[in-house]
Amino acid sequence: MQDVAAKQGSLEHERLVIRRGARSGVTLMVAVHSTALGPAVGGCRMRAYRCWQDGLADALRLSEAMSYKCAAAGLAYGGGKTVVALDEDADPARIDRHSVLLDVGDLVAEFGGRYSTGPDVGTCAEDMIVVRERTPHAFCLPQSHGGSGSPAAPTSIGVLAALRAVSLHRFGTPSLAGRGIVVSGLGAVGERLARSLAEQGAELKVSDVDDQKRVLAKELGAAWVEPQEAITTDTEILVPAAVGQILDHDVVSRLRCAAIVGPANNQLVTDDVADLLRQRDILWAPDFVANAGGVIYALAREVEGIGHGEAIDRVHGIGTTLAEILTNADRAGRTTLATATDLAATRLRTPR
């Protein structure tokens, strides 16, 4: 086991624990970036990595993003992340998943309530039932178990609110009807977004690494784009809805869109990519603002006990927050990333 105050480059974290699960033997880690505003929250990511250090990089980067996500949304919580780093050649369907999740629960329990976890890439609401066998600090349980269920639906609702805010700012109308939009990634959130956009009359193109998703494209009347071409397809709005770390200097130089709004985490490979986006007049909605709907909803429902309608109203507030960021960025002649980061950093410096 390793338990340290973590620092990697510009990433500063309060606590990092890395160990092999006592039952599963799998490498697990929890990174807590900040508890300045309140207990840290962040999902449990389970996926294969080339090496465990790649999982560590994910945990550090995503926990920091979670701190900024909560702060920008005005939530009294900090950021953390659980990563289950499976071996590169591991078959997720053949691992002893129950043992892994019990090990996750034990690790989360050691934080004594200063960190709670929920579903993320590779885990689901049902998995949190197992984590709850070892700790009460797991959220987004299935509704049948008193939880708020999968965060995918409120996350997609929040991204739609962000899309309308960006559309108003860039095109002068919040309506997405007739708007050219590419959704890259048709997972739980991406599929919901694609369905909503089709219902609203967007001129829709979709893409996914799973070729079977072509069936969904046909159902929605959307054009299919090959995954390797999706990001640079000619469109008005690009919606990254799969993995992060997709926008670097080379990719941005080849973009053919007016705006980017999507649920994928950590879309920029490096922060200076935001400068290039601004130079190319491509309006980028900071991902940690646009994709906050899931955590906003889950905490409102499961921690504060707020009803569904009021919790969804809070999710729609993402549009208002983003509109303010876009306006302030224009006024100051700064990137949307710098503006959103300053908003979050100011709140992190003012603990409740």
Side-chain angles (χ1 to χ4, degrees):
M1 180 186 77
Q2 187 176 8
D3 185 347
V4 296
K7 180 177 181 179
Q8 185 181 69
S10 62
L11 295 176
E12 303 265 359
H13 291 67
E14 292 181 7
R15 189 179 179 194
L16 168 67
V17 180
I18 307 170
R19 69 159 58 126
R20 287 199 175 274
R23 302 171 185 81
S24 65
V26 171
T27 301
L28 315 170
M29 59 196 77
V30 169
V32 169
H33 175 258
S34 173
T35 57
L37 296 178
V41 294
C44 174
R45 175 165 294 202
M46 186 186 303
R47 55 166 293 194
Y49 291 91
R50 180 181 57 85
C51 60
W52 69 266
Q53 289 90 343
D54 289 348
L56 171 61
D58 250 3
L60 294 174
R61 183 174 57 247
L62 293 168
S63 58
E64 181 185 45
M66 198 68 188
S67 288
Y68 282 86
K69 180 182 298 188
C70 290
L75 301 174
Y77 297 91
K81 200 73 179 181
T82 300
V83 167
V84 178
L86 303 177
D87 292 337
E88 186 176 23
D89 57 354
D91 180 357
R94 300 186 66 179
I95 65 170
D96 185 351
R97 192 177 188 88
H98 190 266
S99 292
V100 171
L101 293 168
L102 290 176
D103 287 340
V104 168
D106 284 341
L107 184 52
V108 171
E110 292 181 17
F111 286 76
R114 291 179 64 81
Y115 167 70
S116 297
T117 195
D120 194 76
V121 173
T123 60
C124 61
E126 286 71 21
D127 290 331
M128 295 304 105
I129 300 172
V130 182
V131 176
R132 274 285 183 98
E133 292 181 28
R134 306 301 300 171
T135 176
H137 302 294
F139 57 95
C140 284
L141 273 71
Q143 294 179 359
S144 60
H145 285 70
S148 57
S150 168
T155 298
S156 66
I157 291 171
V159 175
L160 281 170
L163 279 162
R164 286 190 286 269
V166 164
S167 180
L168 177 61
H169 192 87
R170 174 49 51 97
F171 305 112
T173 173
S175 174
L176 300 173
R179 190 70 57 209
I181 300 177
V182 171
V183 178
S184 176
L186 296 172
V189 178
E191 179 175 336
R192 284 175 168 82
L193 283 169
R195 290 186 181 280
S196 296
L197 291 167
E199 290 173 0
Q200 294 181 35
E203 186 178 313
L204 189 62
K205 299 176 183 177
V206 299
S207 178
D208 196 273
V209 294
D210 182 358
D211 200 58
Q212 295 182 8
K213 296 288 186 177
R214 287 176 181 270
V215 175
L216 176 63
K218 184 176 181 180
E219 176 189 341
L220 300 180
W224 179 262
V225 182
E226 293 301 325
Q228 65 272 21
E229 301 171 358
I231 301 300
T232 55
T233 295
D234 189 8
T235 189
E236 290 177 293
I237 303 177
L238 171 65
V239 179
V243 296
Q245 299 282 286
I246 56 169
L247 298 175
D248 59 18
H249 283 259
D250 174 63
V251 170
V252 171
S253 70
R254 294 184 287 115
L255 290 176
R256 293 184 292 166
C257 60
I260 304 173
V261 189
N265 284 306
N266 297 101
Q267 294 167 20
L268 307 185
V269 174
T270 55
D271 287 354
D272 63 347
V273 172
D275 296 307
L276 182 56
L277 287 166
R278 185 169 183 274
Q279 291 169 17
R280 292 210 56 208
D281 195 28
I282 298 173
L283 186 60
W284 180 67
D287 42 47
F288 61 85
V289 177
N291 66 16
V295 69
I296 291 172
Y297 182 83
L299 294 173
R301 296 282 283 144
E302 297 189 30
V303 178
E304 299 182 47
I306 288 172
H308 170 75
E310 185 176 348
I312 290 297
D313 286 344
R314 291 190 181 185
V315 172
H316 283 298
I318 287 173
T320 302
T321 299
L322 181 57
E324 293 174 357
I325 290 169
L326 300 180
T327 298
N328 291 338
D330 278 356
R331 287 174 178 169
R334 306 180 72 205
T335 67
T336 55
L337 174 62
T339 305
T341 299
D342 280 356
L343 170 65
T346 298
R347 289 174 176 172
L348 284 169
R349 290 193 298 267
T350 312
R352 300 189 179 189

